[in-house]
Amino acid sequence: MLPALEARYQMHLTPLAGGAEARTFAGDGLVFKVYPPTSQPGGIYAARLEALNMTKAGLGDWVVETYNLNQYGILVTRRYPGANFTPERFHQAALEELARFFVRLHAIPEPGVVSRTRLQDRLQQFGSTLHDLPQARQLVGWLWAHIEEVAGTPQAFCHRDPHAGNILLKHPEAQGVPEALVVDWIRAQPDDPARDLAILTTGTLVMLGEAQALAALRYMVSCYPQPQALWRRLRFWVPLTYLHDMHWFRTKEPNGFEAAVADKLPKALRFYQEFSPELA
């Protein structure tokens, strides 16, 4: 696919870090995301789905085109003048940009509410996967008591994967672009906005250190129209997200499981045990 793209656009392309669904290349102000027909979703369907999700999220200006090439779906976007999130490059203006963006995103209503059955299934699954870790089992037990605080929450349009690899920060010299940009929209779906913020916390903000991550999260939540209810749901979602990460390592990358537990389980316990129900 790379020679075919280079010939079509008459430019040299270099590979970028890609996700599980697609390969990504960049060149001369453009980014090319290549979806194989075998991925799920795959081919042109995946390329068009991501373009539609970006447009729905208010990022349609970044989309250049989508098309089918040898059964591969191609999504072409403008290249953002920035790089992946790092603590050293993160600053107040970027935090404010992320807050504005997620507030706008989560103002897009979606049908349905958060499913009680889905929450129960997740807790049962994580309790089973992590059955040999007493503290993880204890945390699962604590979270059962908060299901009613989350179940029935009206859903909104959510990114559902805002980890550090999907958060770009602007180069200092760049002009006319936002301070931060959220990329990789293939998994966007209706969900609880608190889940988006939990993934952002455990996968991105925590790189700042736990205290600074909590302060950044408090600031973002304070920008929402109904911050208090959103804040209280995070007592459930942040620890659950850490449990999900440990479950993922045990089932997908077992060689990294011990390190993941050593890193994530104490953070999950601290967040839950030290959580203040009042945002202010």
Side-chain angles (χ1 to χ4, degrees), residues 80-83 89 91 168-180:
Y80 176 76
R89 301 180 61 248
H91 46 75
L168 304 182
L169 302 178
K170 180 178 76 70
H171 291 317
E173 68 278 5
Q175 301 293 324
V177 296
E179 294 287 339

Side-chain angles (χ1 to χ4, degrees), residues 6 20 25 31 43 50 64 72 82 100 125 128 150 187 193 231 260:
E6 290 181 328
F25 304 90
V31 172
E50 181 160 12
V64 176
Y72 285 75
R100 286 191 296 268
Q125 181 182 38
S128 175
V150 179
R187 299 182 186 181
W231 174 253

Side-chain angles (χ1 to χ4, degrees), residues 2-274:
L2 184 57
L5 287 172
E6 290 181 328
R8 182 181 179 116
Y9 290 90
Q10 293 296 296
M11 65 175 68
H12 174 68
L13 302 182
T14 57
L16 299 175
E21 298 90 355
R23 296 289 302 277
T24 307
F25 304 90
D28 293 350
L30 297 176
V31 172
F32 302 83
K33 203 163 183 180
V34 180
Y35 282 98
T38 53
S39 65
Q40 293 297 324
I44 187 60
Y45 172 76
R48 288 175 176 166
L49 175 62
E50 181 160 12
L52 287 171
N53 284 340
M54 290 179 66
T55 301
K56 186 173 180 177
L59 303 175
D61 287 348
W62 294 92
V63 178
V64 176
E65 61 180 334
T66 63
Y67 57 92
N68 185 62
L69 183 61
N70 300 332
Q71 296 188 317
Y72 285 75
I74 312 297
L75 168 64
V76 186
T77 62
R78 293 192 293 123
R79 188 172 186 180
Y80 176 76
N84 287 119
F85 179 101
T86 62
E88 300 77 21
R89 301 180 61 248
F90 192 62
H91 46 75
Q92 183 63 27
L95 174 61
E96 292 172 3
E97 179 64 39
L98 286 176
R100 286 191 296 268
F101 177 78
F102 278 103
V103 169
R104 289 196 305 269
L105 181 72
H106 295 153
I108 302 171
E110 292 282 5
V113 298
V114 175
S115 164
R116 178 182 291 100
T117 301
R118 180 167 67 96
L119 300 178
Q120 292 170 338
D121 289 347
R122 296 301 269 170
L123 284 176
Q124 289 176 339
Q125 181 182 38
F126 300 156
S128 175
T129 304
L130 307 172
H131 65 92
D132 54 338
L133 302 175
Q135 288 183 309
R137 290 204 317 271
Q138 184 179 41
L139 180 57
V140 168
W142 291 339
L143 295 183
W144 274 98
H146 299 284
I147 284 181
E148 294 305 318
E149 297 175 8
V150 179
T153 298
Q155 296 190 129
F157 190 49
C158 292
H159 182 273
R160 300 184 82 241
D161 199 22
H163 62 75
N166 289 334
I167 306 294
L168 304 182
L169 302 178
K170 180 178 76 70
H171 291 317
E173 68 278 5
Q175 301 293 324
V177 296
E179 294 287 339
L181 185 70
V182 184
V183 299
D184 195 358
W185 286 88
I186 191 64
R187 299 182 186 181
Q189 290 181 20
D191 211 326
D192 183 352
R195 185 176 185 225
D196 254 2
L197 296 184
I199 298 170
L200 182 71
T201 301
T202 62
T204 303
L205 298 178
V206 75
M207 296 168 65
L208 304 170
E210 287 176 80
Q212 204 169 341
L214 185 60
L217 179 61
R218 282 181 177 274
Y219 171 79
M220 292 186 67
V221 172
S222 72
C223 297
Y224 280 74
Q226 296 178 311
Q228 190 61 58
L230 175 63
W231 174 253
R232 289 181 178 173
R233 296 199 305 277
L234 287 163
R235 174 170 47 187
F236 176 88
W237 281 116
V238 170
L240 188 79
T241 304
Y242 279 124
L243 288 171
H244 169 272
D245 292 347
M246 289 183 280
H247 161 82
W248 186 90
F249 272 98
R250 172 155 271 180
T251 57
K252 304 293 186 182
E253 295 286 347
N255 290 339
F257 177 67
E258 282 191 27
V261 170
D263 174 47
K264 297 175 184 296
L265 186 53
K267 291 174 180 173
L269 292 168
R270 279 193 293 271
F271 188 94
Y272 181 86
Q273 293 174 312
E274 299 173 10

